[in-house]
Amino acid sequence: MSSTHPPTDPRATVFALPACRSAKAAAVLVAEDERFFTELRECLAAEMAAVDSRLATTRREAGQQGRDVLDREGPVAMERDQEIHRLTARHRDLQRYGLDLCLGRVIPLGGGAPRYIGRRGVSTADGRTLLVDWRSPGAEPFFAATHGDPRGLRSRRRYHWTAGRITDYWDEVFDRELLDSASGQQAEQAAFDDQSAFLASLGASRTDKMRDVLGTIAADQDAIIRADSAGALVVDGGPGTGKTVVALHRTAYLLYADPRLGHRRGGVLFIGPHRQYLSYVGDVLPSLGEEGVLTTTLRDLVPEGVRAQAETDPQVARWKGDADVSAIVDAAVRFHEDPPTDDLVIETDWRDHVVTAADWAAASAAVRETGVPHNEAREPILNEIVDILLPKDDVDGGDVEVGEQRRALRRHRDLRATLHRAWPMIEATDLIGDLWTVRAYLRRCAPDWDNARVDALQRREPTAWTVADLPWLDAACRRLGDSQIADRRRRRAADEQSRERAMSDVVDHLMASDDTELQVMSMFRIDDMRAALIEDDPDDSPRDRFAGPFAHVVVDEAQELTRAEWQMLLARCPSQSFTIAGDRAQSRVDTDGPWTHRLTAAGFRQVREHTLTINYRTPEEVMEMAAPVILAAVPDATVPVSVRRSGRPVHCARLAELDQVVRDWLRENDDGVACVIGAADYSPPSTRVRSLDPLTVKGLEFDLVVLVDPDEPLVADPEHHRARAVDRYVAMTRSTGELVMVSR
């Protein structure tokens, strides 16, 4: 989404208006902007030079001082690395945009100098603000002003940038008296073809990346973007209403405006419907100055998701999705937590100890209350047993001897062997595989389920994972924890001893070769100074960067998520701060009630809902044909109202004409992207043409959509009827310009 920067010559104009808009190039309309952009160009050049200079100096210092072991391992080096990272990020940001950082300007109702709004804030060397960051409160009127509520503005101007030059702009005047007194002449230096650039941007050719729409955020969208982060906020709306736009820009806004959501405070996780979608929107957040947001799909949250297949039985999928997964998984794990019921005599050099059944039960219960995962609970349970057998205030034999007794008990073979049998290590895949292949096990763990459900969920192959299994595997991973933690702890202890020995050798060498008058190296006889030289490695266990916890989670195309999948996401965000975008009418399965009901049932405590009703993407010609398709299957669907016509009616063709339709479009259009939907064996003749199925086009948009086989009869089965209708509706409404319906 970055652009080519405009000429660096300070005398060059930033305006490149075509002949048909030559009237807009009048000096009375653009002179003030020209002066502003000249100053902005100089300010950005100075900032780039300062960043480059500081970055070069910092890197040079790192190279010069990096040979000094004290500096390399000390806090100074860490601060320098952080500064290099910050400066590098700033350099990338300055390179991404030039003058096209500026989105537009506003003039207050009382008159005065224009206030210019940008993708980020820019100030002069003396602290004067040139560009107001779009996320700041001072920029809100630029997006929120309407003729009904002008937000204290007299006028607003938006720029349309092409390759770093302004190729159009449009003005909106909110002062009615000013409009009435204009008498057909230019009013307060405003150009009145106020929809030209806006409509042009809606109908502009697409690429394989989501286009930049920050400058055309509508007032209803902006209100949702700036809503606070408390609880779950649902953005509901039909195709083309800007749900994805809102979700992405809200992410950037919250990271800027809400200190609780910063990357060092949990950060944000963004969930998309499929990987093609993530690639499509991948440039949006970086273009808004946010590069630290983690993006993924629900499937990719679990390792087994890579090869998971769709659940073939809809009823089985529904049962797995509606279940209280955490409760059943917890019961399945507890089945394997079996504290001994017999006394165990532990013989030591000091005395014999007896571990009773009550001792085992008390130790196990105490550790369970702490929430330690099953596989990571052995050592804590062992410590609890030792505390029971040898209380900390037991000073018999002296403190040193008590410490030796504790170590002897923790290492005692019989005690550890008994604990390992009572508390076995379990893999998540084994646990869930057993539920689906051992009927009695599932029956015990889900006592409220009837025999028909238990029987239906049984299968022959335990690891034949389906998408409906993923929340179960995820819950099992969280409940069980790391099964290799004991081995890793032993390896880490050995590594620490090895590092300490190596560092002792280094310190001995430094002290032996120290010929300074003050004998500086003698400071390393102090334990704290020796420890400072050893690299801090507190935990070498594998870390799942998608495990959380996160401060905020954004979910797009969320209409089909099940209760189990919502719980999977709630486990990653204890604060329950969510942005949820979706359209209930685009769900292939009949959803259970409104958003509030569904999310509350999944465990959300606070749910707000906003509805978008204006379709900015899909032309009227396409919506006129798509609306009856969805209303026939989902009578209460909210069909959005399109704001424009493309002038190209929906065209029908035969399958034999498919390739010719695509090639004719390529020949007539030098840019833009097309998609053939529903023809799995079709080979696109160009990289500008893709061939996808209806499930992988959600969230995407194309200049041309060719939908194959739309006339296949819809069967009587209500569920299949809805799924087929939704697939058609979703596919048809991906078009931003032209739709061709191909029948076999």
Side-chain angles (χ1 to χ4, degrees):
M1 296 179 67
S2 59
S3 61
T4 302
H5 292 179
T8 56
D9 184 351
R11 296 169 298 177
T13 176
V14 71
F15 288 90
L17 300 170
C20 62
R21 301 184 188 122
S22 59
K24 285 186 169 185
V28 69
L29 296 175
V30 301
E32 192 163 22
D33 284 352
E34 290 279 22
R35 288 191 293 271
F36 166 78
F37 285 115
T38 297
E39 185 175 14
L40 179 60
R41 181 186 289 113
E42 294 170 352
C43 188
L44 292 175
E47 185 176 1
M48 177 65 88
V51 169
D52 286 345
S53 175
R54 179 59 183 158
L55 186 57
T57 300
T58 307
R59 284 173 172 165
R60 185 167 55 252
E61 291 173 352
Q64 291 172 346
Q65 299 176 357
R67 292 183 294 272
D68 187 338
V69 64
L70 298 181
D71 182 73
R72 185 171 64 250
E73 300 293 345
V76 174
M78 183 179 298
E79 292 176 3
R80 187 186 304 110
D81 289 343
Q82 292 174 347
E83 178 68 1
I84 290 175
H85 178 77
R86 185 190 69 80
L87 290 169
T88 301
R90 189 60 164 172
H91 182 85
R92 284 197 305 268
D93 183 48
L94 288 167
Q95 281 190 316
R96 183 181 291 273
Y97 288 101
L99 299 183
D100 47 356
L101 275 172
C102 184
L103 304 171
R105 75 180 198 190
V106 294
I107 296 178
L109 186 59
R115 183 166 67 247
Y116 290 86
I117 312 301
R119 296 177 178 278
R120 63 173 176 83
V122 175
S123 298
T124 61
D126 59 2
R128 181 167 50 87
T129 299
L130 280 183
L131 278 181
V132 179
D133 192 297
W134 72 273
R135 294 168 291 189
S136 69
E140 185 175 0
F142 176 79
F143 299 97
T146 64
H147 288 283
D149 181 12
R151 297 294 182 98
L153 298 186
R154 172 170 290 191
S155 65
R156 168 174 57 200
R157 172 172 292 184
R158 302 178 192 255
Y159 302 116
H160 183 67
W161 296 89
T162 305
R165 306 288 295 278
I166 296 176
T167 54
D168 198 3
Y169 66 89
W170 71 106
D171 289 331
E172 296 165 273
V173 176
F174 302 106
D175 188 340
R176 176 57 58 184
E177 293 183 4
L178 190 64
L179 284 173
D180 292 341
S181 65
S183 302
Q185 298 180 1
Q186 296 286 5
E188 186 144 310
Q189 303 178 5
F192 285 104
D193 56 337
D194 61 354
Q195 292 299 308
S196 61
F198 176 65
L199 293 178
S201 69
L202 295 180
S205 297
R206 267 50 176 183
T207 68
D208 60 351
K209 297 293 184 182
M210 187 175 185
R211 64 198 181 93
D212 178 13
V213 297
L214 177 56
T216 56
I217 294 290
D220 57 342
Q221 297 170 334
D222 184 68
I224 302 172
I225 290 170
R226 295 175 187 271
D228 65 62
S229 64
L233 185 145
V234 178
V235 186
D236 184 80
T241 54
K243 300 183 298 296
T244 298
V245 167
V246 168
L248 289 165
H249 289 76
R250 176 168 165 76
T251 301
Y253 171 77
L254 289 177
L255 283 169
Y256 171 88
D258 192 332
R260 296 173 297 175
L261 270 58
H263 302 307
R264 296 183 181 277
R265 296 172 178 82
V268 175
L269 176 66
F270 192 102
I271 303 290
H274 47 75
R275 292 180 182 178
Q276 291 91 333
Y277 166 93
L278 295 181
S279 175
Y280 177 63
V281 303
D283 283 350
V284 176
L285 287 170
S287 77
L288 299 173
E290 299 297 342
E291 297 186 350
V293 176
L294 288 180
T295 62
T296 189
T297 67
L298 201 70
R299 176 190 288 263
D300 291 332
L301 290 176
V302 181
E304 292 75 19
V306 175
R307 56 190 177 93
Q309 304 296 313
E311 190 73 64
T312 56
D313 187 334
Q315 184 59 60
V316 169
R318 200 158 31 244
W319 277 332
K320 288 181 179 178
D322 291 341
D324 187 352
V325 177
S326 296
I328 297 174
V329 166
D330 183 66
V333 174
R334 282 179 175 264
F335 175 79
H336 295 280
E337 298 174 349
D338 189 19
T341 56
D342 297 328
D343 292 349
L344 175 67
V345 178
I346 304 297
E347 298 179 357
T348 71
D349 293 340
W350 294 271
R351 62 182 175 184
D352 294 345
H353 300 272
V354 178
V355 187
T356 66
D359 294 336
W360 285 113
S364 300
V367 172
R368 280 197 187 109
E369 289 179 0
T370 66
V372 175
H374 169 89
N375 288 334
E376 300 172 23
R378 280 185 181 177
E379 290 300 320
I381 291 175
L382 183 60
N383 291 335
E384 289 287 336
I385 290 293
V386 171
D387 285 343
I388 292 172
L389 298 179
L390 197 63
K392 294 179 180 178
D393 59 358
D394 185 347
V395 294
D396 184 21
D399 291 342
V400 174
E401 188 170 304
V402 169
E404 293 177 355
Q405 291 183 56
R406 288 182 177 280
R407 286 190 290 273
L409 285 172
R410 278 193 288 266
R411 292 194 299 264
H412 199 282
R413 179 176 302 177
D414 291 345
L415 182 59
R416 297 189 74 93
T418 302
L419 175 58
H420 290 187
R421 287 192 299 270
W423 207 277
M425 291 294 180
I426 310 171
E427 296 290 344
T429 50
D430 294 336
L431 187 85
I432 303 304
D434 287 348
L435 286 176
W436 304 151
T437 55
V438 182
R439 184 185 185 282
Y441 186 40
L442 180 58
R443 193 77 183 86
R444 175 178 178 137
C445 298
D448 295 335
W449 286 7
D450 57 30
N451 291 332
R453 179 180 298 194
V454 172
D455 291 340
L457 268 59
Q458 296 298 291
R459 66 190 183 208
R460 184 168 300 177
E461 176 53 55
T463 59
W465 304 120
T466 69
V467 175
D469 293 330
L470 301 184
W472 294 78
L473 290 164
D474 186 70
C477 284
R478 290 182 174 277
R479 179 63 175 82
L480 291 170
D482 183 7
S483 63
Q484 305 298 318
I485 189 170
D487 291 339
R488 260 188 287 277
R489 283 172 175 166
R490 283 192 292 270
R491 288 196 299 270
R492 182 184 168 217
D495 289 344
E496 286 178 349
Q497 291 178 0
S498 177
R499 287 199 302 272
E500 288 174 0
R501 286 194 297 270
M503 187 51 60
S504 293
D505 292 341
V506 171
V507 171
D508 290 343
H509 173 73
L510 290 173
M511 293 175 63
S513 60
D514 185 9
D515 58 359
T516 62
E517 181 178 348
L518 296 178
Q519 293 289 293
V520 174
M521 294 303 169
S522 62
M523 72 178 69
F524 289 110
R525 290 194 179 98
I526 304 172
D527 289 342
D528 288 346
M529 291 300 297
R530 293 168 68 98
L533 289 178
I534 301 177
E535 183 179 357
D536 187 19
D537 185 20
D539 188 4
D540 62 352
S541 61
R543 294 187 180 278
D544 178 3
R545 61 188 184 133
F546 296 117
F550 293 94
H552 190 77
V553 175
V554 183
V555 191
D556 199 4
E557 298 292 347
Q559 57 269 4
E560 292 182 10
L561 266 63
T562 64
R563 177 190 183 191
E565 289 169 332
W566 282 120
Q567 291 178 346
M568 185 178 177
L569 295 179
L570 279 169
R572 287 164 167 78
C573 187
S575 68
Q576 297 197 0
S577 178
F578 276 69
T579 298
I580 299 166
D583 177 15
R584 291 176 55 239
Q586 293 185 56
S587 173
R588 301 177 81 245
V589 296
D590 189 8
T591 55
D592 182 19
W595 283 106
T596 302
H597 173 77
R598 293 169 57 204
L599 295 174
T600 302
F604 284 89
R605 296 184 295 272
Q606 178 182 347
V607 181
R608 294 170 291 166
E609 184 174 347
H610 295 266
T611 302
L612 298 171
T613 59
I614 303 300
N615 189 336
Y616 298 98
R617 177 181 65 218
T618 316
E620 283 185 1
E621 295 91 336
V622 174
M623 286 306 299
E624 287 171 357
M625 181 167 286
V629 171
I630 194 62
L631 290 172
V634 188
D636 63 342
T638 301
V639 179
V641 178
S642 295
V643 299
R644 66 186 180 91
R645 297 186 68 84
S646 68
R648 294 184 290 272
V650 176
H651 177 60
C652 296
R654 304 295 298 177
L655 185 60
E657 303 172 273
L658 171 59
D659 193 60
Q660 190 60 48
V661 167
V662 173
R663 292 183 183 276
D664 287 346
W665 181 84
L666 287 169
R667 186 172 57 255
E668 296 167 3
N669 296 270
D670 295 330
D671 54 12
V673 290
C675 186
V676 176
I677 304 175
D681 56 350
Y682 179 71
S683 298
S686 167
T687 56
R688 291 199 289 129
V689 181
R690 303 175 70 181
S691 178
L692 300 172
D693 62 69
L695 297 181
T696 52
V697 297
K698 284 187 175 182
L700 307 182
E701 57 186 18
F702 307 93
D703 298 281
L704 168 70
V705 167
V706 182
L707 177 56
V708 178
D709 200 22
D711 295 328
E712 178 184 317
L714 295 173
V715 298
D717 178 18
E719 288 190 5
H720 186 75
H721 176 83
R722 177 177 180 128
R724 284 284 296 150
V726 168
D727 287 349
R728 290 183 185 179
Y729 181 61
V730 169
M732 295 169 74
T733 55
R734 299 308 94 193
S735 171
T736 65
E738 187 174 355
L739 173 64
V740 178
M741 311 283 276
V742 175
S743 59
R744 297 184 187 275

